[in-house]
Amino acid sequence: MTENTQTPSSPNPELPTQYAPAEVEGKLYERWVERGYFEADANSEKPPYTIVIPPPNVTGSLHLGHAFEHTLIDALTRRKRMQGYETLWQPGMDHAGIATQNVVERELAKEGKSRHDLGREAFVERVWQWKAESGGQISGQMRRLGDGVAWSRERFTMDEGLSQAVQTIFKKLYDDELIYRAERIINWCPRCLTAISDIEVEYQDDDGELVSIRYGEGDASIVVATTRAETMLGDTAVAVHPDDERYKHLVGTEIELPLTGRRIPVVADEHVDPEFGTGAVKVTPAHDPNDFEIGQRHGLPNLAVMDERAVITAHGPFQGLDRLEARSAIVAALRAEGRIVAEKRPYVHSVGHCSRCKTTIEPRLSMQWWVKVGPLAKAAGDAVRDGKVKIHPQEMEKRYFDWVDNLHDWCISRQLWWGHRIPVWYGPNGEIVCVGPDEEAPSGEGWRQDTDVLDTWFSSGLWPFSTLGWPEQTDSLAKFYPNSVLVTGYDILFFWVARMMMFGLYAMDGTPPFHTIALHGMVRDQFGKKMSKSFGNAVNPLDWMDTYGSDAVRFTLARGANPGVDVPIGEDWVQASRNFANKIWNATRFALMNGATVEGPLPDASEMSATDRWILSRLNKTVAEVDALYDDYQFSKLSEALYHFAWDEVFDWYVELSKTTFFAGGEGAKVSGRVLGEVLDVMLRLLHPVVPFVTETLWTTLTGKESVVIADWPTDSGFRDEAAEKEIELVQQVVTEVRRFRSDQGLQPGQKVPARLDLAGTALAPHEAAIRQLLRLQPEGEAFSATATLPVAGATVTLDLSGTIDVAAERKRLAKDLAAAEKEKAQANGKLGNEAFLAKAPDNVVDKIRTRLAKADEDIARIQAQLDRLPQA
């Protein structure tokens, strides 16, 4: 265990009787920030440790998912800081293109205006004004949680430096022919009026209708089924599988497309599943991604029949109708012509919706900018395959490879005004010029800049190096790139993580953006259900912090964090964590009042009691265990280890076993006081990364030093005493067994009982006073009556229960319980021995009966043991 290097003042053992988080957390955090504990020096000679915050949206506020992720990152960085690393937790926010534009547009709507009334320049200025006044409230909430970020380095994905990084990498990709412009099918939101990425599409089961429509006449007819009848106006073919004998006579011919007066070809394509439905599909290349691919293979025209607001543009009676209005009208018209073969409604199917406004997404053919991801994705896959980057837990690697090995080109343009505008200019004669950050944009009559902005993920994909000053070769970039670890949810493994990997390897000469990707799961409610406002189970973590303190919320989240696994959380668990914080407080307060100290060196082991040596041995094992678990990102297990060491071993056993020593005073009390001080010192430092506030208050009070934030992280001194551990295990066995017996007999925990302890010749002899204290056992008097004898751990404990229980009544009660257990056993055996019953009963019923039998056997053994220990009435 390391010695702390801070200069101590006189420890102050005075602590309030109760811990009040609200009175200390805010003050402590501001003190940490003022003293610069979280800042990172690029010129330091310490080894670097870098983590970037997954940048929250500027429109966002702290939710449980943020609190969970931030707790894990903060724990890692606080530990590394204590271990002597130059630690940078890089903060910042994402400009969140669509979300932010929507917020400001809603504000404008209250004034009866739209962004078009203001014009682009004024609207963007209005967004910056909103950001200055209302954006970024999450920063203050992060302080509430205790996030140890380097606030002086806070970045924003639209600030000047990051804008330069975006323009630089766009130009580089463009010059390397990895960015191009093309007409493709994209996800289009008719409400936000922009293309959106796959991650911004939320799928849900909607009630729709499935209609089967007959195209053509007689033998030259084909039936197709669709949930989007309105798109038939844009059909340019019907496709069948080339091996489908039913339609071979039609391949290469044309059939009539109802309602339109057009004739369209029947094509053969391997994409069609002959086993699904009728084995024939309508092909609408301008409104479906799969149909677009079929169209490309067969040279079909792309006929768009909807505008950007999903209003029908095709000539005829349906022109001007909204897509849903047109759907009903078209089905009615087809029905009138006898073209509807079958209708199924409601037809539940998965439908994509805009994550921002919940509007149904429309696949739409559109001219957009794209990143050619092939070579970039290959590099991202190879970096993991070659071991340059490790994914934790390792089983998530398969999901990563499934994604990067099959990436489609990435649509990066968005039809918004808020964001990084695409740095491409178009000339009056068809010229196209991409402009880098140090280049002059073309000027003159007829030149105009592309109106689109870049996908938000484009700029956030640069986050690990753009925040450090790239493309400038800064000291921070040299010191803190690559990041040590990325801590993020598995749900954005495919989007943000993959993009950072591609851009980092590309921009930084093959150096990946981080050494390790540590993936965590999603926070769910206590029943494992996704948290959502619509479900009524969403929780504001700030409410829990107000009620129970930030430490309680943090410890609950960390305790549930198994790598890559979803985290259930309920308020009861936060209450339990609050109780743990109170336990740490009360036990430390007791220890300080009874001589716990960190002054002077630890006594020699020869001066210590077995109890002292036991707790120091267990302490060092805990240090080693917690270190190994941190290195493996096992937050749940390390939290459990700390919880049980602190509560069970230090508070419930060591403090209780040592009370007789403290009360007796003398040299033994001084030795144990120094040991207890050491244990608390190390334990509080171990706990600090997860529960920083209560540990700061207690540790500074215990040691008189400046702050646990900058204290040394404990190291395993190698001290072990297996003999002492076995000796105390025997004490624990005796105390546990006698407590169980007392409870079985209905004795109150504080009720005193005369007892004889025969410990001579055992390792338990030196602990008789402590055992009696813990078990409330009085010395035997002249009228001692041995009414119950318990052999345990090589010793014998004889109790006089004559004045505490009615033996006859207790025997009668136990006999009744025994008879009930034996009856339960007989009934279970009867059913399990009945072959006819076993042949008919479901497996789960049989399993329940087997469980009942096992429980009956346990009850019989327990009750019989209790009877055997009682004297004859």
Side-chain angles (χ1 to χ4, degrees):
M1 292 162 286
T2 55
E3 290 293 324
N4 193 274
T5 55
Q6 298 176 51
T7 303
S9 58
S10 298
N12 176 13
E14 293 299 321
L15 284 170
T17 56
Q18 290 184 323
Y19 177 50
E23 296 178 11
V24 301
E25 290 179 349
K27 296 175 184 176
L28 285 181
Y29 189 84
E30 290 310 313
R31 186 187 308 160
W32 293 336
V33 172
E34 288 168 7
R35 293 178 177 177
Y37 293 157
F38 305 140
E39 295 303 323
D41 181 1
N43 298 310
S44 166
E45 294 183 0
K46 297 177 182 179
Y49 186 80
T50 316
I51 294 180
V52 293
I53 194 171
N57 288 352
V58 67
T59 59
S61 59
L62 191 74
H63 58 64
L64 266 180
H66 289 129
F68 173 54
E69 187 167 78
H70 291 197
T71 294
L72 305 187
I73 298 175
D74 197 40
L76 290 173
T77 53
R78 283 178 184 269
R79 171 177 175 254
K80 284 296 181 180
R81 188 178 294 112
M82 295 170 77
Q83 286 182 316
Y85 286 78
E86 193 62 36
T87 302
L88 169 61
W89 182 8
Q90 173 66 53
M93 286 183 294
D94 193 286
H95 65 278
I98 295 177
T100 306
Q101 181 157 318
N102 281 348
V103 167
V104 178
E105 285 196 85
R106 283 196 295 270
E107 292 295 314
L108 284 174
K110 294 175 184 176
E111 303 170 16
K113 298 178 182 178
S114 73
R115 60 184 164 116
H116 300 284
D117 295 324
L118 271 67
R120 183 168 193 145
E121 187 175 336
F123 176 77
V124 170
E125 182 60 35
R126 180 71 176 259
V127 180
W128 279 109
Q129 180 183 340
W130 174 87
K131 177 189 178 292
E133 295 172 357
S134 306
Q137 62 174 310
I138 196 171
S139 296
Q141 296 164 347
M142 287 165 59
R143 293 169 182 263
R144 285 283 311 278
L145 189 65
D147 287 3
V149 299
W151 286 112
S152 69
R153 292 173 170 266
E154 187 174 11
R155 304 302 300 269
F156 180 56
T157 52
M158 286 279 287
D159 68 28
E160 184 178 351
L162 268 66
S163 295
Q164 183 183 25
V166 168
Q167 196 172 353
T168 299
I169 201 162
F170 187 99
K171 171 70 171 174
K172 180 174 171 60
L173 287 163
Y174 182 88
D175 289 347
D176 288 345
E177 298 184 350
L178 292 172
I179 281 183
Y180 63 94
R181 192 167 183 246
E183 195 174 42
R184 299 273 182 84
I185 294 284
I186 43 87
N187 301 310
W188 181 264
C189 176
R191 155 61 183 79
C192 298
L193 299 181
T194 180
I196 65 174
S197 67
D198 291 338
I199 197 172
E200 292 163 323
V201 179
E202 293 180 350
Y203 288 89
Q204 66 184 47
D205 287 341
D206 285 358
D207 286 344
E209 60 179 348
L210 181 69
V211 293
S212 298
I213 311 168
R214 178 172 52 83
Y215 288 12
E217 301 292 344
D219 291 339
S221 67
I222 293 181
V223 174
V224 298
T226 182
T227 58
R228 301 167 67 221
E230 68 278 9
T231 64
M232 68 163 290
L233 300 176
D235 286 359
T236 56
V238 171
V240 297
H241 193 275
D243 298 332
D244 195 330
E245 294 294 335
R246 294 171 295 177
Y247 304 117
K248 277 198 170 181
H249 66 291
L250 292 176
V251 174
T253 69
E254 291 185 342
I255 59 174
E256 180 188 349
L257 178 65
L259 306 181
T260 65
R262 290 193 290 116
R263 295 185 67 80
I264 58 176
V266 178
V267 299
D269 195 276
E270 296 278 352
H271 170 76
V272 180
D273 180 2
E275 303 298 323
F276 183 77
T278 62
V281 296
K282 58 192 287 300
V283 182
T284 320
H287 294 278
D288 183 275
N290 292 322
D291 293 3
F292 178 79
E293 297 296 332
I294 293 175
Q296 293 292 99
R297 288 193 288 272
H298 297 276
L300 301 174
N302 301 317
L303 183 59
V305 296
M306 276 182 259
D307 67 11
E308 61 183 8
R309 298 183 185 276
V311 172
I312 300 298
T313 57
H315 293 297
F318 311 109
Q319 187 174 7
L321 295 180
D322 170 82
R323 56 183 165 169
L324 298 182
E325 296 172 335
R327 182 176 301 170
S328 299
I330 287 169
V331 170
L334 290 168
R335 190 183 299 115
E337 289 191 5
R339 294 284 179 179
I340 300 296
V341 175
E343 296 180 70
K344 183 177 181 180
R345 71 169 65 86
Y347 178 74
V348 179
H349 61 132
S350 182
V351 178
H353 296 258
C354 174
S355 63
R356 302 299 177 191
C357 68
K358 310 309 177 186
T359 302
T360 300
I361 291 301
E362 191 64 43
R364 184 169 190 255
L365 187 64
S366 179
M367 183 67 76
Q368 301 285 344
W369 285 94
W370 304 80
V371 171
K372 186 184 295 182
V373 300
L376 303 175
K378 182 180 184 303
D382 289 345
V384 175
R385 288 189 174 93
D386 297 344
K388 290 182 181 178
V389 178
K390 298 186 183 303
I391 293 180
H392 190 279
Q394 191 174 359
E395 54 265 28
M396 287 286 182
E397 282 187 3
K398 182 180 184 303
R399 297 180 66 179
Y400 176 78
F401 292 136
D402 285 346
W403 179 257
V404 297
D405 293 347
N406 297 285
L407 266 180
H408 298 296
D409 285 359
W410 171 21
C411 176
I412 55 171
S413 45
R414 299 290 180 266
Q415 290 64 54
L416 304 171
W417 288 356
W418 172 245
H420 295 282
R421 194 164 175 182
I422 288 177
V424 171
W425 272 254
Y426 304 104
N429 299 311
E431 303 97 331
I432 299 178
V433 176
C434 180
V435 178
D438 300 322
E439 300 172 349
E440 287 290 330
S443 58
E445 186 176 349
W447 283 93
R448 60 184 178 84
Q449 186 178 358
D450 196 300
T451 57
D452 288 352
V453 301
L454 288 163
D455 177 12
T456 300
W457 296 102
F458 191 94
S459 50
S460 60
L462 313 180
W463 193 247
F465 51 95
S466 63
T467 51
L468 298 173
W470 187 91
E472 300 299 322
Q473 297 304 306
T474 64
D475 291 342
S476 289
L477 188 65
K479 177 74 173 180
F480 296 113
Y481 187 91
N483 292 185
S484 306
V485 60
L486 173 74
V487 179
T488 191
Y490 64 69
D491 58 323
I492 56 174
L493 172 64
F494 316 125
F495 303 102
W496 186 47
V497 179
R499 282 151 173 69
M500 285 190 291
M501 285 286 283
M502 290 191 295
F503 281 169
L505 289 159
Y506 174 75
M508 300 300 292
D509 299 321
T511 302
F514 18 73
H515 297 301
T516 301
I517 302 168
L519 298 170
H520 59 72
M522 304 297 101
V523 178
R524 297 182 176 271
D525 71 13
Q526 63 199 76
F527 306 108
K529 190 175 182 180
K530 180 181 178 181
M531 284 192 173
S532 165
K533 290 181 180 178
S534 60
F535 293 155
N537 62 350
V539 173
N540 184 346
L542 298 173
D543 293 339
W544 279 353
M545 287 186 223
D546 289 340
T547 305
Y548 305 109
S550 297
D551 284 333
V553 174
R554 290 171 61 114
F555 192 74
T556 305
L557 292 165
R559 201 174 177 186
N562 288 299
V565 178
D566 288 345
V567 182
I569 184 172
E571 189 166 3
D572 289 350
W573 304 337
V574 185
Q575 291 177 3
S577 295
R578 186 268 315 272
N579 295 344
F580 178 51
N582 288 342
K583 182 75 170 180
I584 299 170
W585 181 274
N586 293 332
T588 303
R589 185 170 177 272
F590 169 86
L592 289 170
M593 293 170 63
N594 286 276
T597 180
V598 295
E599 293 182 341
L602 272 176
D604 189 79
S606 62
E607 301 176 49
M608 299 180 191
S609 67
T611 308
D612 295 332
R613 297 195 306 276
W614 162 74
I615 197 61
L616 289 176
S617 184
R618 289 296 308 131
L619 176 66
N620 277 282
K621 286 183 178 180
T622 301
V623 169
E625 180 183 8
V626 169
D627 263 336
L629 292 170
Y630 259 117
D631 291 340
D632 198 35
Y633 306 101
Q634 298 280 356
F635 296 98
S636 176
K637 291 181 179 178
L638 71 88
S639 299
E640 284 294 313
L642 288 169
Y643 175 88
H644 289 295
F645 175 73
W647 195 307
D648 299 348
E649 297 187 284
V650 178
F651 305 147
D652 280 359
W653 285 108
Y654 181 72
V655 170
E656 294 299 324
L657 285 169
S658 301
K659 279 182 178 178
T660 53
T661 303
F662 288 133
F663 296 161
E667 283 302 312
K670 290 182 180 179
V671 170
S672 291
R674 180 63 188 90
V675 169
L676 180 54
E678 179 75 8
V679 170
L680 291 175
D681 172 16
V682 173
M683 183 193 75
L684 291 170
R685 283 187 277 153
L686 287 175
L687 281 164
H688 173 72
V690 181
V691 284
F693 295 107
V694 68
T695 51
E696 170 81 337
T697 305
L698 294 174
W699 189 85
T700 53
T701 301
L702 172 71
T703 66
K705 296 177 182 177
E706 181 181 336
S707 175
V708 71
V709 177
I710 55 172
D712 294 332
W713 180 253
T715 56
D716 178 7
S717 71
F719 180 85
R720 300 288 190 275
D721 194 324
E722 301 298 336
E725 289 198 42
K726 290 179 181 176
E727 185 171 321
I728 300 305
E729 283 175 14
L730 294 177
V731 175
Q732 291 171 327
Q733 286 179 33
V734 171
V735 173
T736 301
E737 187 63 28
V738 175
R739 278 178 175 167
R740 183 182 296 117
F741 177 75
R742 288 175 56 109
S743 176
D744 289 342
Q745 307 311 313
L747 297 179
Q748 295 300 313
Q751 192 170 352
K752 295 182 178 180
V753 177
R756 178 190 305 132
L757 274 60
D758 296 319
L759 310 177
T762 73
L764 296 164
H767 304 283
E768 179 170 351
I771 292 171
R772 285 187 177 275
Q773 169 71 23
L774 287 168
L775 291 171
R776 305 296 189 266
L777 301 180
Q778 295 177 317
E780 54 184 306
E782 292 183 6
F784 183 80
S785 174
T787 55
T789 302
L790 285 77
V792 56
T796 303
V797 178
T798 306
L799 304 175
D800 180 357
L801 304 177
S802 58
T804 56
I805 64 170
D806 184 333
V807 175
E810 185 64 15
R811 277 191 162 278
K812 185 176 180 181
R813 182 184 70 81
L814 290 172
K816 184 178 179 181
D817 290 347
L818 182 61
E822 288 173 337
K823 182 179 179 181
E824 175 73 4
K825 178 178 180 178
Q827 289 176 342
N829 273 328
K831 289 186 177 180
L832 293 174
N834 185 334
E835 294 295 335
F837 170 79
L838 293 176
K840 295 179 181 179
D843 289 344
N844 65 316
V845 173
V846 175
D847 288 342
K848 285 182 180 179
I849 294 171
R850 289 196 177 109
T851 301
R852 283 170 49 196
L853 177 61
K855 176 67 165 53
D857 281 333
E858 291 175 6
D859 289 345
I860 289 169
R862 175 180 54 80
I863 296 166
Q864 190 62 59
Q866 289 175 242
L867 281 167
D868 292 343
R869 289 170 180 161
L870 284 175
Q872 297 299 317

